[in-house]
Amino acid sequence: MNDQDRVAIHEVMEQQTVTIAKAGIHASLNARCSVVAAANPIYGTYDRSLTPTKNIGLPDSLLSRFDLLFIVLDQMDADIDRQISDHVLRMHRFRSVIDGGEGGLDGNSRYGREDETDTDSVFVKYNRMLHGKKVQRGQKRDTLTIKFLKKYIHYAKHRIQPELIDEASEYIATSYAELRNNNSNAKTGGTLPITARTLETIIRLSTAHAKLKLSRKVPTLCH
């Protein structure tokens, strides 16, 4: 990431605005959205001997603005590799089913699209060509429909406004203090610096957890 892009993303994540200067026009637009970033390690492959911060290669001032940081390692596992290859092959073999072409199973069916007679379906109907073999009993692998997910997210976002009760506030404050203490005692200084932004991160994640459960109050065990 060059310096210009770094300055731009700083403004977006800190002030929730983006400034555009083009053709003599200067405008400042609202950027109230979630930012999802994905990148490869700085050396192409993840070096386990280095800290995550050095592998990522971004300054702490920028990394601290992200609420969550996931490290995905490319581990060699025959079973996982076989599952991935089977899924990719099914997507290529039965592309007509996904795109709704004439070569589909029933001529006009689409993967993830509900039938007109079943608009309130929660789970996608099982299709062996797309979903592969059925799992063993007791191991459910149900896929939620896109329409249901949109309804659920819209309802949770606009109808549920969780309240931060006293017990949850006390628990968050204690957890933040423990994180600060553990980070200062760590030999390597921790993965990321624990600042006031981390406290705001815990509050946002706790509120999102309550919305996910359609709860009007933030639970005490918000972690």
Side-chain angles (χ1 to χ4, degrees):
M1 179 181 292
N2 55 40
D3 295 337
Q4 184 177 0
D5 294 337
R6 191 174 301 169
V7 172
I9 197 173
H10 267 287
E11 179 188 359
V12 171
M13 302 183 71
E14 183 70 22
Q15 303 177 11
Q16 294 185 344
T17 59
V18 57
T19 302
I20 299 176
K22 186 174 272 189
I25 299 176
H26 296 268
S28 181
L29 306 177
N30 292 330
R32 297 171 184 173
C33 61
S34 300
V35 177
V36 180
N40 292 324
I42 189 173
Y43 301 113
T45 57
Y46 191 87
D47 190 353
R48 294 176 179 267
S49 62
L50 301 177
T51 61
T53 305
K54 292 183 178 180
N55 275 285
I56 296 172
L58 290 177
D60 293 340
S61 59
L62 183 58
L63 284 179
S64 61
R65 285 172 167 80
F66 288 95
D67 290 343
L68 296 173
L69 178 64
F70 297 97
I71 298 176
V72 181
L73 300 178
D74 185 13
Q75 298 179 344
M76 296 183 181
D77 187 284
D79 295 334
I80 296 177
D81 292 341
R82 182 56 185 267
Q83 293 177 6
I84 294 175
S85 62
D86 289 343
H87 174 72
V88 174
L89 287 171
R90 284 196 303 271
M91 300 296 287
H92 282 276
R93 290 179 61 193
F94 308 109
R95 185 180 299 274
S96 58
V97 180
I98 302 173
D99 297 337
E102 295 180 356
L105 295 178
D106 54 359
N108 57 2
S109 62
R110 268 194 175 184
Y111 173 71
R113 174 178 289 186
E114 299 82 7
D115 298 334
E116 295 180 357
T117 58
D118 192 15
T119 56
D120 295 330
S121 178
V122 177
F123 299 104
V124 176
K125 292 182 178 180
Y126 171 75
N127 188 328
R128 186 180 183 280
M129 291 186 178
L130 295 176
H131 303 124
K133 298 179 180 179
K134 286 187 176 182
V135 296
Q136 298 177 357
R137 293 183 178 179
Q139 297 180 356
K140 293 185 178 180
R141 194 176 62 181
D142 296 327
T143 304
L144 296 173
T145 61
I146 297 178
K147 189 172 184 179
F148 172 78
L149 282 177
K150 287 182 178 180
K151 288 182 179 180
Y152 190 91
I153 294 174
H154 183 272
Y155 181 85
K157 184 177 181 180
H158 294 89
R159 296 296 184 89
I160 306 298
Q161 300 297 331
E163 177 186 358
L164 196 63
I165 59 178
D166 295 338
E167 291 80 359
S169 300
E170 181 66 24
Y171 185 86
I172 291 174
T174 303
S175 301
Y176 173 71
E178 292 178 355
L179 286 174
R180 291 272 295 181
N181 186 39
N182 295 335
N183 186 75
S184 61
N185 294 334
K187 295 181 180 180
T188 59
T191 303
L192 292 174
I194 306 300
T195 62
R197 288 199 185 100
T198 308
L199 179 59
E200 295 178 355
T201 295
I202 298 175
I203 297 174
R204 282 193 294 268
L205 293 177
S206 304
T207 305
H209 187 265
K211 287 185 177 180
L212 182 64
K213 291 190 172 184
L214 303 181
S215 176
R216 300 290 180 180
K217 296 181 179 179
V218 176
T220 305
L221 297 177
C222 51
H223 66 290

